[in-house]
Amino acid sequence: MSTPTSTASRTPAYEALCQRHQRLHRLNHLQSIASWDQSAFMPAKGAEARAQALAEMGGLLHQQATDPALRDLLSAAEQEPLDEVQRASLREMHRVWRAANALPQSLVEAKSLANSHCEHAWRSQRGANDWAGYVENLRPVVRLAREEARLLAEDSGLSRYDALLDQYEPGMRAAEVDRVFGELRQWLPDLIRQVMARQADEQMLHPQGTFPAAAQRALGLDAMKLLGFDFEAGRLDESAHPFCGGVPEDVRMTTRYRDDSFLQSLTGTIHETGHGRYEQNLPREWLGLPIANARSMGLHESQSLSFEMQLAAHPGFAKLLEPLVTRHLGHQRAFSADNLNKMMTRVAPGYIRVDADEVTYPAHVILRYEIERPLIEGQIEVEDIPALWDAKMRELLDLDTRGNYKDGPMQDVHWGAGLFGYFPCYTLGAMYAAQWFATMRRERPTLDDDIARGDLAPVFDWLQARIWSQGSRWETPELVQRASGESLNPAHFRRHLESRYLG
Amino acid sequence: MSTPTSTASRTPAYEALCQRHQRLHRLNHLQSIASWDQSAFMPAKGAEARAQALAEMGGLLHQQATDPALRDLLSAAEQEPLDEVQRASLREMHRVWRAANALPQSLVEAKSLANSHCEHAWRSQRGANDWAGYVENLRPVVRLAREEARLLAEDSGLSRYDALLDQYEPGMRAAEVDRVFGELRQWLPDLIRQVMARQADEQMLHPQGTFPAAAQRALGLDAMKLLGFDFEAGRLDESAHPFCGGVPEDVRMTTRYRDDSFLQSLTGTIHETGHGRYEQNLPREWLGLPIANARSMGLHESQSLSFEMQLAAHPGFAKLLEPLVTRHLGHQRAFSADNLNKMMTRVAPGYIRVDADEVTYPAHVILRYEIERPLIEGQIEVEDIPALWDAKMRELLDLDTRGNYKDGPMQDVHWGAGLFGYFPCYTLGAMYAAQWFATMRRERPTLDDDIARGDLAPVFDWLQARIWSQGSRWETPELVQRASGESLNPAHFRRHLESRYLG
């Protein structure tokens, strides 16, 4: 495979573009680390200065990404004798350029400030169930997101929501989401009912006692080791909302601990480890160029869910977890592999998306999608969210959420951080993950036994070869086709759930 | 006091300068946090990318600080009707501008890269006593520091070493250091001998057992609370070499823990808390302008040493420490106030500067000064350091350091990080601190009783009013005069040592 940064003198415009992107990559590094610190370590009174610093830097990066000279370089590079990889690299440079140029710097800076303020205040407002306070900060975030959608739509010719969605899942459209989610909506409620009826008589032991954060942390670190995370190129810390940040060379994962339960932090840590390994294994020979980036957020979620759902909730994987759990939390009958697997596959409607089992999870995502889309399109306002939220939680999961903003629209920070169009990626990711494992099983029929024996290399090797090492080499449909031999096919997800929960 | 950022329309050039400095302040914020992380949290494989990111940003900051438009703005501002504070603010802007313009961007970037490499490798080389490996990285650092000294000297008309010294202690010259250190060198060895003879018969109990890092950390946090550190505007973490970094709005202190001794981390933490409170209490109304910066490194050390030596080693302060130490480390006879004070005032020549008592500490600084000055002036090379080090350690402290690079020239990272001209500031700081406390006692004869009663407000109020809140409002000699009624007078330091150790 040729390198997209070869210094061939016949491609001076392309080389100049590479240098500019590598420069942006280096500056983005500081932005990423400061953002991680903002969520993981920063004390309260640092918030204002940090928000200003990130906004200033955001503006500066935007300024560099919109330098008028880039337009000429991009045009000139099109005429140069580039090889196939360099062409793909140039395509991704175009994508980045187009996204940056659709937005004026003033909007980028205003967004960064509004998002920082909203996210920081959310940290204390959530605990206080302070919806009224949160709405005050959310309103300007939504106003700016609508403005962003309008400008991106004008530039791309897409609809407003599609324009936002395209930032996270290039090529994906609301019409396709409607089709896929519409199908899901048809069989999901019934599947949830069937699984719950079947599990009603199942004996599951509940772990007893409290679980100190230090022991949970040690357990999480061991699980990350089992999953191949490179601790010389990353860390695990704590934050209010778990995430995977940092840079490919230094991945910063976070989790959160609850004394009364270890499962959330364990599965959360395994989830973020999937993101982390994708980042750690992106193609190094292209590092600093857009082609070396993760393909999309849906693809990213397909990695975290490959780890959390396909692997961790696999009955064979529970055999690998049992010795780790007992090592760090002591011996209990509830820690048997069989019971751990029951805990990890227990289906029960709940308020919190990140704590949801894989069967009810898509209901949370459908709800977010059905609220954020009209919110961006101006059909509803932030004040309308709680009533809509409640209606949809009743309809999809039969839960009453009135007055409980903390575990309702304030449970996570995506909207407060201006991330509209992101939520669908979670369920697209679950579908991709099911498709990857269906492909692995077809190609390697011993896969389930391998996992139970603790031989995870076949899984990692497959992901490394088909996903991680490809970066943004291919457009998503082609990547999916090359990886699995077909395009996105939600039937794999349904088959996975039916086989695991009703099989 | 008028504000230097007043938006008077009669001072447009000055206002433009303020905006540019505030912008630099915001970008520097990211650089500071990433540097802190580099020392406190970054895993090994992140080093290369971080070094590149910091160098890129260093270059960018330098570019902005040397924008040719600044020269015209500075000239124009000189002609504007500025008030007295604004004049001082403009003077500091000139200082920053002059320092930045003396160096080409290529040198700034090369320095940042070489320093990052050397510092990062030092972390593992030190443990391995790998002088040969360290020298390979130190050589380019010294080469670049000499080049920097040459350029700064050309620009300022100072000698090369003076030009470096002036960066940390504006206005200070090697001739003055020679005078003050020369005087010290006359009475110090004899004082050390006298104190050691006197302490030879003193009964001091040695604490027994090991002290877990978590308990030491809790003790350190309590000491910081006692000393008024604002935890909503800063943190304490760990690093190989303790330092106080971050930004005034979010101070990042570090310490290091040894299982077999708690005193180093406790006194180290108290030391950094002095730096931290200076930063946390710099004038906020000028924030982002050079006039809001700490006056000098010597002044900074005068704060850390006011906390570590003047306060923590004070017999009255030991009464405040006793309950904290027993709370976190249990009860031992060695933890009595009287014995804690004996431990903190024990004088014994040792290898490690940061662990040195206040009587032998100046000997370490004299040694560094007498090596780094000829090193910068080209009279010696890095290969000559160990022999010189050993000769001077014998002469000043009667210690043999042959082959022990780890506890010799590799014990701290100043030189590896390119900080030449910094070391004298430590002992200048000790002298300033003694002068501050002599002034406090003159103005408030009950001071020592106040401290023993736990009433530290008189100390903090004095430092706040005379030092912290002044930022860089005055040149150092005027600040010293205003604070203490006289110029730097080393007699206070001698009197302090004689009274505490021979009184």
Side-chain angles (χ1 to χ4, degrees):
Chain A
M1 200 176 270
S2 75
T3 158
T5 55
S6 80
T7 51
S9 58
R10 295 163 61 213
T11 57
Y14 177 73
E15 297 310 322
L17 285 167
C18 287
Q19 280 174 25
R20 281 167 178 261
H21 278 285
Q22 280 153 348
R23 184 176 158 83
L24 282 170
H25 173 75
R26 290 194 283 270
L27 294 176
N28 256 316
H29 177 121
L30 301 175
Q31 194 81 329
S32 295
I33 294 299
S35 298
W36 160 82
D37 177 86
Q38 185 180 36
S39 299
F41 285 124
M42 187 189 75
K45 290 184 189 166
E48 183 61 30
R50 182 66 53 86
Q52 287 179 4
L54 291 172
E56 184 78 50
M57 185 67 164
L60 196 144
L61 288 166
H62 182 255
Q63 201 174 35
Q64 301 209 352
T66 54
D67 183 340
L70 281 170
R71 182 193 295 269
D72 299 334
L73 285 172
L74 286 165
S75 302
E78 289 291 353
Q79 309 305 320
E80 291 177 345
L82 303 178
D83 67 24
E84 215 189 334
V85 175
Q86 291 170 326
R87 291 244 157 256
S89 173
L90 186 59
R91 177 195 72 217
E92 295 303 315
M93 290 174 178
H94 262 293
R95 189 193 306 285
V96 169
W97 181 82
R98 184 158 196 162
N101 278 274
L103 301 180
Q105 184 163 342
S106 57
L107 180 66
V108 174
E109 286 178 24
K111 257 177 60 94
S112 174
L113 272 176
N115 298 352
S116 285
H117 280 135
C118 188
E119 182 170 351
H120 184 71
W122 166 81
R123 285 205 235 169
S124 46
Q125 286 166 340
R126 193 197 165 199
N129 199 37
D130 179 13
W131 172 255
Y134 183 60
V135 155
E136 288 309 308
N137 296 329
L138 186 58
R139 201 176 288 119
V141 170
V142 169
R143 189 176 52 73
L144 292 166
R146 285 174 176 170
E147 176 65 7
E148 180 185 10
R150 189 183 66 78
L151 290 167
L152 290 173
E154 263 176 24
D155 180 67
S156 60
L158 298 174
S159 79
R160 293 183 185 191
Y161 185 78
D162 278 352
L164 294 183
L165 181 61
D166 194 73
Q167 293 184 299
Y168 306 111
E169 197 62 22
M172 184 55 66
R173 302 289 172 257
E176 171 80 351
V177 176
D178 282 341
R179 182 184 71 76
V180 177
F181 284 12
E183 196 189 303
L184 241 166
R185 236 186 184 291
Q186 288 190 323
W187 52 262
L188 190 69
D190 194 48
L191 179 70
I192 294 172
R193 272 188 294 274
Q194 282 183 65
V195 175
M196 285 179 69
R198 189 186 168 114
Q199 291 187 345
D201 301 326
E202 199 181 70
Q203 294 297 316
M204 187 185 91
L205 299 171
H206 292 275
Q208 301 300 312
T210 58
F211 308 98
Q216 290 193 52
R217 173 172 160 80
L219 169 60
L221 293 174
D222 266 1
M224 289 167 71
K225 242 173 255 167
L226 178 67
L227 291 165
F229 186 84
D230 182 354
F231 284 95
E232 292 202 338
R235 300 177 45 89
L236 173 69
D237 294 288
E238 288 181 59
S239 71
H241 186 79
F243 67 96
C244 178
V247 293
E249 305 95 324
D250 181 2
V251 169
R252 302 295 174 100
M253 283 172 44
T254 68
T255 187
R256 60 183 166 202
Y257 304 107
R258 285 175 45 175
D259 269 6
D260 60 345
S261 163
F262 67 92
L263 206 63
Q264 275 104 330
S265 89
L266 178 59
T267 55
T269 300
I270 291 173
H271 178 98
E272 301 303 335
T273 305
H275 288 306
R277 289 215 65 189
Y278 190 6
E279 289 290 317
Q280 286 186 332
N281 290 283
L282 286 167
R284 286 304 165 97
E285 68 273 28
W286 306 335
L287 202 69
L289 305 185
I291 192 178
N293 293 346
R295 176 61 280 183
S296 71
M297 288 305 116
L299 261 292
H300 234 309
E301 288 302 321
S302 86
Q303 298 311 296
S304 52
L305 295 174
S306 284
F307 277 51
E308 183 191 1
M309 295 308 180
Q310 297 294 328
L311 264 187
H314 187 287
F317 194 85
K319 293 196 196 354
L320 314 179
L321 279 180
E322 177 180 336
L324 304 189
V325 173
T326 53
R327 181 184 311 155
H328 296 290
L329 306 180
H331 284 272
Q332 288 195 23
R333 285 177 53 217
F335 297 161
S336 73
D338 179 58
N339 198 67
L340 284 173
N341 185 243
K342 280 183 184 158
M343 288 164 62
M344 289 197 167
T345 52
R346 192 67 166 191
V347 174
Y351 297 113
I352 306 297
R353 176 184 57 83
V354 294
D355 294 340
D357 58 84
E358 65 181 326
V359 183
T360 58
Y361 196 108
H364 292 270
V365 170
I366 290 171
L367 176 150
R368 311 300 177 91
Y369 171 65
E370 292 179 358
I371 292 177
E372 72 176 14
R373 193 175 160 191
L375 185 64
I376 286 301
E377 290 170 349
Q379 290 141 19
I380 63 168
E381 297 301 327
V382 287
E383 290 75 10
D384 302 322
I385 294 175
L388 263 173
W389 189 284
D390 188 63
K392 288 179 187 295
M393 280 302 265
R394 278 174 203 276
E395 183 193 344
L396 288 158
L397 293 173
D398 199 23
L399 291 172
D400 181 350
T401 65
R402 284 173 297 177
N404 186 359
Y405 310 107
K406 185 169 159 297
D407 300 323
M410 291 177 77
Q411 69 181 259
D412 47 32
V413 78
H414 296 57
W415 289 343
L419 297 173
F420 296 92
Y422 189 108
F423 276 116
C425 301
Y426 289 111
T427 290
L428 295 171
M431 291 172 174
Y432 286 130
Q435 190 159 334
W436 306 152
F437 274 75
T439 311
M440 283 183 225
R441 281 193 184 88
R442 199 174 64 232
E443 296 176 3
R444 187 182 176 93
T446 60
L447 188 81
D448 295 287
D449 293 335
D450 296 337
I451 292 171
R453 281 190 301 105
D455 183 9
L456 304 177
V459 174
F460 300 147
D461 291 349
W462 192 97
L463 294 173
Q464 166 74 37
R466 310 284 176 98
I467 312 291
W468 303 341
S469 66
Q470 301 304 309
S472 289
R473 170 76 178 85
W474 317 101
E475 302 265 14
T476 310
E478 183 162 4
L479 178 72
V480 176
Q481 184 76 39
R482 284 174 169 264
S484 64
E486 59 179 324
S487 54
L488 173 61
N489 179 358
H492 293 294
F493 184 52
R494 183 176 187 175
R495 218 170 290 139
H496 158 68
L497 293 181
E498 288 177 348
S499 134
R500 177 172 282 176
Y501 293 90
L502 299 175
Chain B
M1 200 176 270
S2 74
T3 157
T5 56
S6 80
T7 51
S9 57
R10 294 164 62 213
T11 58
Y14 177 74
E15 297 310 321
L17 286 167
C18 287
Q19 279 173 26
R20 280 166 178 262
H21 278 285
Q22 280 153 347
R23 185 176 158 84
L24 284 169
H25 173 75
R26 290 193 283 269
L27 294 176
N28 256 315
H29 176 121
L30 301 174
Q31 195 81 329
S32 295
I33 295 297
S35 298
W36 160 83
D37 178 86
Q38 185 180 35
S39 299
F41 286 123
M42 188 189 74
K45 289 184 189 167
E48 183 62 30
R50 183 65 53 88
Q52 287 179 4
L54 291 173
E56 185 77 51
M57 185 68 164
L60 196 143
L61 288 167
H62 182 256
Q63 202 174 34
Q64 300 209 352
T66 54
D67 183 340
L70 281 170
R71 182 192 295 270
D72 299 334
L73 285 173
L74 286 164
S75 303
E78 290 290 353
Q79 308 307 319
E80 291 177 345
L82 302 177
D83 66 24
E84 216 189 331
V85 175
Q86 290 170 327
R87 290 243 156 257
S89 172
L90 187 60
R91 177 196 70 217
E92 295 304 315
M93 289 174 179
H94 261 294
R95 189 194 307 283
V96 170
W97 182 82
R98 184 157 195 161
N101 278 275
L103 302 179
Q105 183 163 344
S106 57
L107 181 67
V108 174
E109 285 177 26
K111 257 177 59 93
S112 174
L113 271 176
N115 298 352
S116 285
H117 281 134
C118 188
E119 182 170 352
H120 184 71
W122 166 82
R123 286 203 234 169
S124 47
Q125 286 166 340
R126 193 197 166 200
N129 199 34
D130 177 14
W131 171 254
Y134 182 62
V135 155
E136 288 308 309
N137 296 329
L138 186 58
R139 200 176 289 118
V141 170
V142 169
R143 188 176 53 73
L144 292 166
R146 285 174 175 169
E147 175 65 7
E148 180 185 9
R150 189 184 66 77
L151 290 167
L152 290 174
E154 263 177 23
D155 180 67
S156 60
L158 297 172
S159 80
R160 292 183 185 192
Y161 186 78
D162 278 351
L164 293 183
L165 181 60
D166 195 73
Q167 294 183 298
Y168 307 112
E169 197 62 22
M172 184 56 65
R173 303 287 171 258
E176 171 80 351
V177 176
D178 282 342
R179 183 184 69 78
V180 176
F181 284 13
E183 198 189 301
L184 242 165
R185 236 185 183 292
Q186 288 190 321
W187 53 262
L188 189 68
D190 194 47
L191 180 69
I192 294 172
R193 271 187 295 275
Q194 282 183 63
V195 175
M196 286 178 69
R198 189 186 169 115
Q199 292 186 344
D201 302 325
E202 198 181 69
Q203 293 299 315
M204 187 184 90
L205 299 171
H206 292 275
Q208 301 299 311
T210 58
F211 308 99
Q216 291 192 52
R217 174 174 159 78
L219 169 60
L221 293 175
D222 266 0
M224 288 168 72
K225 244 172 253 167
L226 177 67
L227 292 166
F229 186 84
D230 182 355
F231 283 95
E232 292 202 339
R235 299 177 45 88
L236 173 70
D237 294 288
E238 287 180 58
S239 72
H241 186 80
F243 67 95
C244 178
V247 292
E249 305 95 322
D250 181 1
V251 168
R252 302 295 174 99
M253 284 172 44
T254 67
T255 187
R256 60 182 167 204
Y257 303 108
R258 286 175 45 176
D259 269 5
D260 61 345
S261 163
F262 67 92
L263 207 62
Q264 275 105 330
S265 89
L266 178 59
T267 55
T269 299
I270 291 172
H271 178 98
E272 301 303 336
T273 304
H275 288 306
R277 288 214 65 189
Y278 190 5
E279 288 289 319
Q280 287 187 331
N281 291 284
L282 286 167
R284 286 305 165 98
E285 69 273 27
W286 306 335
L287 201 71
L289 305 185
I291 191 178
N293 292 348
R295 175 62 282 182
S296 71
M297 289 305 116
L299 262 292
H300 234 310
E301 288 302 322
S302 85
Q303 298 311 298
S304 53
L305 295 174
S306 284
F307 277 51
E308 183 191 0
M309 295 307 180
Q310 296 294 330
L311 264 187
H314 187 287
F317 194 85
K319 293 196 196 357
L320 314 179
L321 280 178
E322 177 180 335
L324 304 189
V325 173
T326 53
R327 181 185 311 157
H328 296 290
L329 305 180
H331 284 271
Q332 289 196 23
R333 284 178 52 217
F335 297 162
S336 73
D338 179 59
N339 199 67
L340 284 173
N341 185 242
K342 281 184 182 156
M343 289 164 62
M344 290 198 167
T345 53
R346 192 68 167 191
V347 173
Y351 297 113
I352 306 296
R353 176 183 57 84
V354 295
D355 295 339
D357 59 82
E358 64 181 325
V359 182
T360 58
Y361 195 108
H364 292 269
V365 171
I366 290 171
L367 175 149
R368 311 302 177 90
Y369 172 65
E370 292 179 358
I371 293 177
E372 72 176 14
R373 194 175 159 189
L375 185 64
I376 287 301
E377 288 170 350
Q379 290 142 19
I380 64 167
E381 297 300 328
V382 287
E383 290 75 8
D384 302 322
I385 293 175
L388 263 173
W389 188 284
D390 187 63
K392 288 181 188 293
M393 280 302 265
R394 280 174 202 276
E395 183 192 346
L396 287 159
L397 294 173
D398 200 22
L399 292 171
D400 181 350
T401 65
R402 283 173 297 178
N404 186 0
Y405 310 107
K406 185 170 159 299
D407 301 323
M410 291 177 77
Q411 69 181 259
D412 48 33
V413 78
H414 296 58
W415 288 342
L419 297 173
F420 297 92
Y422 190 108
F423 277 116
C425 301
Y426 289 112
T427 290
L428 294 172
M431 290 172 174
Y432 287 130
Q435 190 158 334
W436 306 152
F437 274 74
T439 310
M440 282 182 226
R441 281 194 184 87
R442 199 174 63 233
E443 296 176 1
R444 186 182 177 93
T446 61
L447 188 81
D448 295 286
D449 294 334
D450 296 336
I451 292 171
R453 281 189 300 106
D455 182 9
L456 304 177
V459 174
F460 300 146
D461 290 348
W462 192 97
L463 294 172
Q464 166 74 37
R466 310 283 177 98
I467 312 292
W468 302 340
S469 66
Q470 301 303 309
S472 289
R473 170 74 179 86
W474 318 102
E475 302 265 15
T476 310
E478 184 163 3
L479 178 72
V480 176
Q481 184 75 40
R482 284 175 168 262
S484 65
E486 60 179 322
S487 55
L488 174 60
N489 179 359
H492 293 294
F493 184 52
R494 184 176 187 176
R495 220 169 289 139
H496 159 68
L497 294 180
E498 289 178 346
S499 134
R500 177 172 281 175
Y501 294 89
L502 299 176

